[in-house]
Amino acid sequence: MTASRHYITTTIPYVNARPHLGFALELVQADTLARHRRGRGDEVRLLSGTDDNSLKNVLAAEAEGVGVREFVDRNADAFAALRDPLALSFDDFIRTSSDPRHRAGVERLWRRCAAAGDLYRKEYEGLYCVGCEQFYTPDELVDGRCVEHGTEPQRVAEENWFFRLSRHADRIRDLITSGALRIEPAARRNEVLALIDSGLHDFSVSRSHTRARGWGIPVPDDPQQVVYVWWDALGNYVTGLGYGTDDPAYERWWAAGDRRVHLVGKGVVRFHAVYWPAMLLSAGLPLPTDILVHDYLTVAGRKISKSGNGTTVDPVALTTAYGTDAVRWWLLRDVPRVGDADFTVERLSARADADFAGGLGNLVHRIVTMVHRYRGGTVPALGADRFAVTPLLDVCRAAPGRIDIALADFDFRRAVDAAWDIVEEANRCIDTTRPWELARAERQGNTGASERLDAVLAALVGACRVLGDELRPFVPAAAERIARRVTPVDGTLPAPEPLFVRLQERT
């Protein structure tokens, strides 16, 4: 099969506070997709970054009494530093306030849309949510408050630049319904189509220099205006490839790439599935191929946030206390494809103890112990007597394809389940074949028992090797430990020892 080229991106979060577990979910999902495609032989580029040019960042810096640059740099560094604690493999990390690629690309994108006749200036008055960095109409509010933040928007009146979003509505709808612009899950696709059918209104794409406190990218040829943060931020998907600086990476990964994949939270779907495609259509650039939408993590039923109401969960502190594998595993195994997931430390540790120490760890330890006990640590050949292990061989053969299909559907739970079926079938194989009884019969001179024991041990070790391979995108370190346990050194497997420590014992 010919390798394909995948460009995978996360959203870029505001840096008004340090990162929380909700964004870690998106990072881990994107990393898993990237690692999986690399493992299948595809070319992959994974981009993350930070959204520095937000009024939220300015206001947070003022509230803390520090300079905006100092504040933004400090918090942006905290997002970039998630790489090691979460075992991320991103190839690039863009910061919109300081990366020289970004401003050049934003300016080029602006001028392309202006040349297409899609930018115009007008006076406007509306209800503005600082948290969302977005204007709302009264009917989009609930009891006069933003649905996302529960706050009353400010009434803002000024003259800004606007983008002719309405001009592109029909084209965007056609692209979505044809599948050329794929939005998953289906509920989010239907949500976007309903938004388009309700009528798209042109939106403001600049703010006054005064209201932006002078922070941000000036509008080309109009320095009294600053490019609206969402226009600025969305551009990172191409500016991170050097669009605007004639970097060949843009042509390789965006213009000529096979898949252009955005991972986004449900709260920013309209920006990525409507505003961003319209901007690209206006500029004459290719659109993303896939927009994959996840729901929220909550604490006690409330959305996790960076700074409010006791819902902040620090992913670095979690990995320090419980380990990277445990955090990644909970995010991928327990968070559903559709619907919010409520986080507790107890759920994380219970899942890790059940699946790692009690599941994977116990299985691998049992198998390696039997190979040492019955074959002196040497893994036997599978041989011809495979009837007893056929179900396990079948599950192992099917797992890679099932994982491919599940991840193509943006369903991490189903992908993990496909791998976990190997664990369950391997345990079933042990219970059914009872290797200890085969070993007893072998000692009594039963040749058939000896051949069957070889087949059982070979199939069980093979199952562990498949697990080591297929779990690498999800929990790289744990997968590597599994692989080492079932890889011979000088012809024999390493001596059996515990693979995982229970978190209750660790903490």
Side-chain angles (χ1 to χ4, degrees), residues 36-37 399-411 414-415:
H36 174 70
R37 292 310 338 155
R402 293 175 58 203
I403 292 170
D404 289 350
I405 292 170
L407 292 183
D409 288 342
F410 193 52
D411 194 335
R414 183 153 52 95

Side-chain angles (χ1 to χ4, degrees), residues 389-402 417-426 428 463 466 470:
V389 296
T390 296
L392 179 57
L393 297 176
D394 289 344
V395 169
C396 290
R397 276 193 292 265
R402 293 175 58 203
D417 285 346
W420 201 252
D421 282 350
I422 299 175
V423 176
E424 293 180 342
E425 188 57 44
R428 206 158 24 243
V466 174
E470 296 303 320

Side-chain angles (χ1 to χ4, degrees), residues 71-115:
F71 180 87
V72 165
D73 287 349
R74 184 187 69 207
N75 283 343
D77 286 345
F79 280 89
L82 291 174
R83 181 186 188 104
D84 290 340
L86 292 174
L88 304 174
S89 62
F90 50 75
D91 301 285
D92 199 357
F93 190 92
I94 188 168
R95 292 192 46 200
T96 59
S97 68
S98 58
D99 194 310
R101 298 172 296 179
H102 187 64
R103 178 168 176 171
V106 168
E107 290 175 344
R108 177 176 287 185
L109 189 64
W110 182 282
R111 294 187 189 280
R112 291 283 293 263
C113 293

Side-chain angles (χ1 to χ4, degrees), residues 9-12 22-31 263-265 294:
T9 70
T10 71
T11 54
I12 54 172
F23 184 58
L25 168 66
E26 185 172 303
L27 288 170
V28 170
Q29 288 178 336
D31 180 73
L263 273 72
V264 308
H294 62 83

Side-chain angles (χ1 to χ4, degrees), residues 51-67:
D51 185 354
D52 301 351
N53 295 327
S54 166
L55 181 59
K56 288 178 69 170
N57 301 336
V58 175
L59 297 176
E62 291 178 352
E64 192 175 305
V66 300

Side-chain angles (χ1 to χ4, degrees), residues 163 165 168 171-173 175-176 181 183 192 196 234 254 262 269-288 291:
F163 176 76
L165 181 64
H168 302 282
R171 179 64 178 141
I172 294 172
R173 195 185 200 292
L175 289 166
I176 294 172
L181 175 54
I183 303 172
V192 172
I196 295 171
L234 288 166
W254 191 267
H262 296 328
V269 173
R270 85 161 62 188
F271 300 103
H272 289 83
V274 179
Y275 291 15
W276 177 230
M279 292 161 58
L280 293 168
L281 288 172
S282 175
L285 304 180
L287 271 60
I291 298 175

Side-chain angles (χ1 to χ4, degrees), residues 179-361:
L181 175 54
R182 185 175 77 112
I183 303 172
E184 292 290 345
R188 298 302 169 200
R189 178 171 65 252
N190 294 337
E191 175 186 312
V192 172
L193 292 173
L195 174 65
I196 295 171
D197 291 343
S198 69
L200 296 182
H201 304 284
D202 297 353
F203 68 99
S204 172
V205 293
S206 73
R207 301 291 180 260
S208 70
H209 184 273
T210 301
R211 188 154 70 87
R213 312 289 209 274
W215 183 255
I217 297 174
V219 169
D221 307 317
D222 188 355
Q224 296 309 306
Q225 294 276 308
V226 171
V227 176
Y228 168 49
V229 66
W230 271 104
W231 177 286
D232 172 332
L234 288 166
N236 94 91
Y237 301 124
V238 293
T239 66
L241 296 172
Y243 175 78
T245 63
D246 298 322
D247 189 321
Y250 168 77
E251 179 66 26
R252 176 177 178 77
W253 294 101
W254 191 267
D258 295 292
R259 309 303 298 182
R260 297 173 290 276
V261 182
H262 296 328
L263 273 72
V264 308
K266 66 180 179 180
V268 296
V269 173
R270 85 161 62 188
F271 300 103
H272 289 83
V274 179
Y275 291 15
W276 177 230
M279 292 161 58
L280 293 168
L281 288 172
S282 175
L285 304 180
L287 271 60
T289 58
D290 306 82
I291 298 175
L292 308 179
V293 186
H294 62 83
D295 287 355
Y296 290 149
L297 296 186
T298 60
V299 171
R302 295 179 298 173
K303 177 192 171 188
I304 288 180
S305 71
K306 291 195 289 289
S307 55
N309 300 324
T311 61
T312 298
V313 179
D314 182 352
V316 176
L318 273 184
T319 59
T320 300
Y322 301 101
T324 298
D325 286 330
V327 174
R328 285 180 67 111
W329 190 246
W330 186 85
L331 292 171
L332 297 167
R333 182 135 165 83
D334 278 20
V335 175
R337 182 171 183 255
V338 176
D340 296 342
D342 206 58
F343 172 80
T344 66
V345 166
E346 292 75 18
R347 287 174 182 149
L348 181 147
S349 60
R351 171 59 74 186
D353 282 349
D355 287 359
F356 287 162
L360 279 167

